[in-house]
Amino acid sequence: MHREIDLIVKKQKSDLDEMDSKYLPVLNKHENDIKHMLCDITQTIADLRKLVNSDDAGFISAYKSRNAELRRLPPKLTVTLPSFSPQKIDKHQIYKHFGFLSELSIKTEEHNYTMDYASTEHSPPERSLIDVPQIIPEIKTDYKYAENVSCLSGEDIWIRGNSNILKLYNLQRGLLKSIQTKSGNCAEDIAVTGNGDLVYTDKTNRTVNIVKNKEIETVVTLQGWKP
């Protein structure tokens, strides 16, 4: 449909260009005829002025009047410009030419089988849990309670206990490092970033702190709630 409309528009533009190519030469010729006649009239007026001021009888007797010739004006040019007459567009006819969409159809079919709930309710999981935890190494800490553990690597772990000291242990070599919190308060929780830096929260002064190269930096200070 769009292609047909484009072809119609291009055809009408081509027709207008063709009309211009025929119309302009006619106007130019008519203009040239008028200019030529004006030149003849101007020249005739100049000759008459010379004749009036001349005493030469031969010059006067040789003069021939051009009044009859100059009275014949160029033919009148009547031009009727083209006009566009739009037709009323029938939307229903456009829809018929364009086409229609079929209605959406949804069908629901019942399956011929049912699920056996008795067999699914008591089915064992694909992977069973360990009945008894396995202790790989045992680390002796000075904490009365070891409350949080965060792994730095497969061998190194940070431990938080019931004091303001955070400790880094190696599973084979034992204690590697001890760091006291910046405020002296007990840390509420600990974690390790992807870069291996220790992060801990201080519930008392509502801060989140990060340990980098033995320096403790407060990165977040909360106002409304405690971390």
Side-chain angles (χ1 to χ4, degrees), residues 33-58:
D33 292 342
I34 293 175
K35 288 181 179 179
H36 182 70
M37 178 169 285
L38 289 175
C39 290
D40 290 344
I41 293 173
T42 302
Q43 183 62 42
T44 300
I45 292 173
D47 293 341
L48 288 174
R49 286 176 179 174
K50 290 180 181 180
L51 185 65
V52 170
N53 297 324
S54 177
D55 295 332
D56 188 352

Side-chain angles (χ1 to χ4, degrees), residues 60-202:
I60 296 174
S61 61
Y63 173 76
K64 293 182 179 181
S65 176
R66 299 184 61 187
N67 290 343
E69 177 186 353
L70 296 178
R71 284 194 182 99
R72 293 195 300 270
L73 297 176
K76 183 179 179 181
L77 189 64
T78 302
V79 178
T80 302
L81 296 176
S83 61
F84 180 73
S85 300
Q87 298 291 334
K88 184 178 179 180
I89 298 176
D90 190 346
K91 295 182 179 180
H92 297 288
Q93 291 295 329
I94 294 178
Y95 290 149
K96 289 181 180 179
H97 290 294
F98 192 81
F100 296 92
L101 285 174
S102 61
E103 294 291 336
L104 175 65
S105 176
I106 300 176
K107 294 182 179 180
T108 303
E109 296 182 1
E110 296 292 339
H111 293 291
N112 295 324
Y113 63 88
T114 59
M115 183 177 291
D116 188 358
Y117 291 98
S119 62
T120 58
E121 288 180 355
H122 304 288
S123 59
E126 294 182 0
R127 186 176 180 181
S128 60
L129 299 176
I130 300 175
D131 295 331
V132 180
Q134 296 179 1
I135 300 176
I136 301 175
E138 183 176 340
I139 300 175
K140 298 294 184 180
T141 68
D142 296 331
Y143 297 124
K144 184 177 181 180
Y145 303 106
E147 299 183 357
N148 288 102
V149 175
S150 185
C151 294
L152 177 61
S153 65
E155 294 289 328
D156 299 334
I157 58 173
W158 281 98
I159 299 179
R160 178 188 74 86
N162 57 326
S163 71
N164 59 2
I165 304 297
L166 306 174
K167 298 179 180 181
L168 177 64
Y169 286 90
N170 181 272
L171 297 181
Q172 306 300 328
R173 293 176 292 163
L175 181 63
L176 299 179
K177 185 189 301 184
S178 297
I179 296 177
Q180 182 178 341
T181 60
K182 185 176 181 179
S183 64
N185 302 321
C186 292
E188 181 68 20
D189 202 353
I190 60 173
V192 176
T193 67
N195 295 328
D197 298 323
L198 176 66
V199 177
Y200 72 89
T201 58
D202 191 326

